[in-house]
Amino acid sequence: MPSPTAGRPTPLTIGLPDGRRLGLTRYGDPAHRPVVFHHGFGSSGLELPDDAALLARLQLQILAPDRPGVGQSSVYRRLTFPSFADDVAAMLEALEIRGPVGVMGWSVGGVHALALAARHPARVAAGQLLSTCLPLGEPAAYRHLSPLWKFLRWGQIGFPWLNRTTFLWLSRQWRRHPDRTIDWFIRLMFSEEARVTTHFRALLRDAAVAGFAHHGRGVYDDAQAWCRPPGFRIEDVRAPVRLWHGDADGVWAPGNIPYLARRLGHAPVRLLPGQGHMLYLENWKAIVEEMAELLGAAT
């Protein structure tokens, strides 16, 4: 394990109680208040802006674990939202972080952030959901999904071999032709997502290469977990939560975000005009400043 530093992002690997490895990236000074960041689908903990000066000013460190089968994290064949919440709790123990932490989640990472807060409430002081999704396999949430997302869940559950083959093929493209592959994805994106991804192209390219490690197994298992019953109740989240969403989000339209906010005790929603699914990248400073305020209020 590399020695902790207060400068550049530091890759770490820890051992989990069952013998698996958990890889993560630490941003900031290990002496500062910890925040756990849950990455998006098909990505990794490398997807964060590197702003050491901002974190130093706010006295925060960001711990961005890679889910099983991503980056340096071992594959886990029956990944669930609760199982990864337990992995993160074990990570905090291994890093000797005893008190409650902040938690963030982008896209499907928002559901993983909710699972951590619901399953380990003493571990979470405050949360932020950034362009978050709903758990596709929860019957109550399913009724609020768009026809497209219902169709995608049906395909993932009904034809798992096709999805496994697709993610295997994509893993090869990311490994062999990363620049060509991200350019291909940018051409398929909605305009706002394409604009931001182009600006942060190298960052998101490298995050995706790590995301599709292990022959795409982690992406497939993450999709399967997302489509199964979530294994936790959103209403069990007790920490204060804030939601950030763009009204031009082409991946997850904002229509059901008020529904999610109601289930979180009418959590405040910051709806940003003209912004899309990648809003966390362009609003990172304001997001991290809000987290510092939330943690300050919690203590």
Side-chain angles (χ1 to χ4, degrees), residues 100-261:
V101 303
V103 62
M104 300 174 175
W106 173 59
S107 194
V108 71
V111 186
H112 283 282
L114 289 173
L116 178 64
R119 189 167 175 86
H120 298 278
R123 274 297 194 183
V124 177
Q128 291 171 304
L129 306 180
L130 314 172
S131 305
T132 194
C133 306
L134 295 176
L136 303 183
E138 185 197 62
Y142 182 83
R143 293 193 292 271
H144 292 262
L145 300 181
S146 69
L148 174 60
W149 278 106
K150 289 179 179 178
F151 173 77
L152 291 174
R153 179 181 182 272
W154 171 78
Q156 181 67 35
I157 295 297
F159 304 94
W161 58 270
L162 179 59
N163 290 281
R164 181 71 191 99
T165 302
T166 300
F167 294 140
L168 175 61
W169 178 80
L170 282 172
S171 74
R172 291 171 178 166
Q173 303 312 305
W174 282 113
R175 185 177 72 255
R176 297 172 181 173
H177 312 290
D179 288 302
R180 189 171 73 187
T181 304
I182 194 166
D183 290 340
W184 179 70
F185 271 103
I186 289 172
R187 289 194 294 272
L188 295 176
M189 289 177 176
F190 292 96
S191 60
E192 184 59 19
E193 284 73 29
R195 180 187 68 80
V196 179
T197 301
T198 299
H199 186 71
F200 292 91
R201 181 178 177 278
L203 177 76
L204 295 171
R205 176 200 63 204
D206 295 346
V209 170
F212 277 84
H214 302 281
H215 309 290
R217 184 77 218 192
V219 185
Y220 172 77
D221 290 339
D222 205 19
Q224 288 287 302
W226 191 9
C227 291
R228 292 192 293 261
F232 72 94
R233 296 178 66 252
I234 293 173
E235 287 78 9
D236 288 340
V237 175
R238 294 292 175 258
V241 176
R242 302 290 184 270
L243 288 81
W244 291 64
H245 217 89
D247 70 358
D249 193 323
V251 176
W252 196 270
N256 50 32
I257 296 304
Y259 159 76
L260 177 59

